[in-house]
Amino acid sequence: MKTQNEIIKQGYDALINSLGVADTIRFIQYFSPGTGDYTKERHQWLDEKSLADVLVEIKELPEDDANQYDEIIE
């Protein structure tokens, strides 16, 4: 079984081999850990909704949003 560090190194190596160093850096910079405490913050909106409400909202989403990745695919 690989250690976490071995997996991370293998992932970086795969990115570098596929994208090159500069584009790997650009790719990694695109993702950020964000701020705040998601667990606490989700209760601010989720505790006010029933499961039925959430399911209705999911069903209202477009089934095939072809533009959902436009921001990352140029």
Side-chain angles (χ1 to χ4, degrees):
M1 182 179 210
K2 294 179 185 178
T3 66
Q4 187 67 28
N5 284 341
E6 290 171 328
I7 293 169
I8 291 168
K9 182 181 180 330
Q10 186 176 1
Y12 281 129
D13 289 345
L15 285 170
I16 291 168
N17 289 335
S18 177
L19 301 174
V21 174
D23 287 341
T24 294
I25 292 169
R26 289 178 59 209
F27 176 80
I28 292 169
Q29 287 175 336
Y30 180 78
F31 298 96
S32 73
T35 60
D37 184 340
Y38 172 75
T39 302
K40 288 181 182 177
E41 291 171 8
R42 73 176 181 189
H43 287 290
Q44 293 175 353
W45 58 270
L46 197 54
D47 288 348
E48 298 173 5
K49 296 183 181 197
S50 69
L51 178 57
D53 293 336
V54 173
L55 292 174
V56 166
E57 289 181 19
I58 291 172
K59 289 178 181 178
E60 290 174 351
L61 294 172
E63 285 188 32
D64 184 24
D65 185 359
N67 298 319
Q68 66 181 330
Y69 300 111
D70 281 353
E71 65 189 38
I72 59 173
I73 299 174
E74 296 176 356

